[in-house]
Amino acid sequence: MSDRPSIAAHLERVLALATPRITQDVPLDQAAGHVLAAPVKSRLAVPPFANSAVDGFAVHAAHLRGEGPWTLPVAGDVPAGSPAIDCPAEHAIRVMTGAPISPADAGSDVVVIPVEQTDIPRGPHPLPDQVTITQAEPGRSHIRAAGENAKPGDTIAQAGLRVDAGTLAACVSTGVRTVDVYAHPTVAVVSTGSELVAWPGEVRGAQIPDSNLPMLAELAASASEHRARVLRYHVDDDAAAEATLRRAAAEAEVVITSGGVSAGAFDIVREVTSADGGMWFGKVAQRPGTPQGAGMFAGTPLVCLPGNPVAAYVSFLLYGAPLIAAQAGVTRGLRFAERPHILADRAAGFVSTAKPEMTHAVPVRLRQDGARTVAESFAPATASSFVASLSGIDGLALVDAPEGPVKVYV
């Protein structure tokens, strides 16, 4: 078995196929979910001007001499969004959170005293004629300096990050209007086998329902956060196999097939795609899903998964999902050694995984037992045909030892 590549080695082969495509100057409102293809630079300072961090009263610290309390006349009111006014000597100005502090005051000894440290009630209240300050905190100004968080030209998001809600907020607040991103990939999913009947068709004789096509299509659509567009194909006629696969390769940026990858007389996917010269087929040191295929077919990355449903399921998680992410521009966390995982205890009856030099990829359900996280295998065995046991899966355990905690990737 030593000549069989490991899961990690085969994943490297698959990831090398990715050819992400850059789209430039995408408006922010169309960039969500994409991966940044270039660093994003701030156009505006954050905050854009000095402002109050609290609701309170701006005063000159020099006027708070000796022991308090101190009573000062109030010279004006600055709500958030209103122009700043200078704080006169021996006076206070009421300011709201986010209200601007004038440039002259921001560079002086002016501080903001929180309303809770005065005799003025919190909340809506008419502008008082005077304010009594009951306490002051030396060294705390409660003023946010202009550019304290970011200055024009600062990098606010690195290439390789996904544009999520926080990234959108950072971009909008710093005046960014467009970004360069990697395009969402189009993924073609192809199930093979003349015995398969598409849902909701009637199953007759030796036929079986085609569970692989909807399963893999949903896995592709939900792979990470990369919003792949998914095309569905089925091959049930050997004569049409090559035309269907070439059509899929022409219409998609990643093609994932199930079935037809072993050495049987009717394994048409291997026969058709091997003729193109850019494919590898062989056995990987994993169970289920030992037979695998990957390479370039008709100029498009092609990953060939086994046909048994559980084997197809785990193989997609091992190879299909990382390739879709890489095609979307992701570079971090693609390899299992880089990914966060949960260490879980094995539940009683956890599927046996004692075969040497073989990694078992086990769909699991997780439960909490006090301080312990416990993994229950999806079925009593790693039987690759136990598709009826795949509901409610929480993660994939990679198991290479007969006992001890297992690593679960969720």
Side-chain angles (χ1 to χ4, degrees), residues 27-299:
L28 276 183
D29 62 353
Q30 300 173 29
H34 287 271
V35 174
L36 292 170
V40 180
K41 305 286 186 180
S42 173
R43 296 178 64 243
L44 303 175
V46 176
F49 46 80
N51 67 88
S52 177
V54 296
D55 296 329
F57 291 84
V59 301
H60 287 274
H63 301 150
L64 306 180
R65 306 182 190 94
E67 294 292 326
W70 307 270
T71 300
L72 298 169
V74 177
D77 210 4
V78 186
S82 297
I85 60 176
D86 292 340
C87 182
E90 305 289 349
H91 285 71
I93 294 173
R94 187 169 71 171
V95 294
M96 300 297 106
T97 302
I101 303 297
S102 74
D105 286 347
S108 71
D109 70 336
V110 167
V111 297
V112 176
I113 305 299
V115 68
E116 293 86 354
Q117 297 172 14
T118 75
D119 66 340
I120 304 302
R122 292 184 296 175
H125 192 275
L127 182 69
D129 293 329
Q130 63 181 28
V131 61
T132 296
I133 298 168
T134 57
Q135 68 179 98
E137 301 172 85
R140 292 199 67 181
S141 72
H142 295 290
I143 294 175
R144 305 182 185 112
E148 184 176 276
N149 181 208
K151 296 178 176 60
D154 284 355
T155 298
I156 58 165
Q158 298 286 355
L161 293 179
R162 189 176 67 88
V163 181
D164 57 11
T167 306
L168 286 174
C171 289
V172 170
S173 67
T174 55
V176 175
R177 298 180 181 275
T178 65
V179 289
D180 296 346
V181 299
Y182 291 101
H184 292 315
T186 297
V187 179
V189 176
V190 185
S191 65
T192 68
S194 57
E195 77 280 15
L196 301 179
V197 177
W199 182 89
E202 280 299 322
V203 177
R204 295 183 176 86
Q207 295 176 323
I208 59 173
D210 185 1
S211 60
N212 279 353
L213 191 58
M215 177 184 72
L216 294 176
E218 175 57 24
L219 285 170
S222 60
S224 300
E225 303 93 358
H226 308 297
R227 307 184 187 186
R229 173 173 170 254
V230 180
L231 308 176
R232 302 185 186 202
Y233 304 89
H234 176 66
V235 173
D236 59 6
D237 181 351
D238 290 357
E242 182 170 2
T244 301
L245 289 170
R246 290 194 179 278
R247 178 186 172 191
E251 295 180 350
E253 291 155 302
V254 173
V255 178
I256 297 176
T257 67
S258 65
V261 297
S262 193
F266 300 99
D267 286 331
I268 191 63
V269 172
R270 180 170 184 164
E271 180 181 342
V272 166
T273 60
S274 292
D276 216 46
M279 294 295 298
W280 173 91
F281 289 95
K283 293 183 177 181
V284 176
Q286 69 178 76
R287 178 171 290 178
T290 301
Q292 298 286 337
M296 298 295 290
F297 173 72

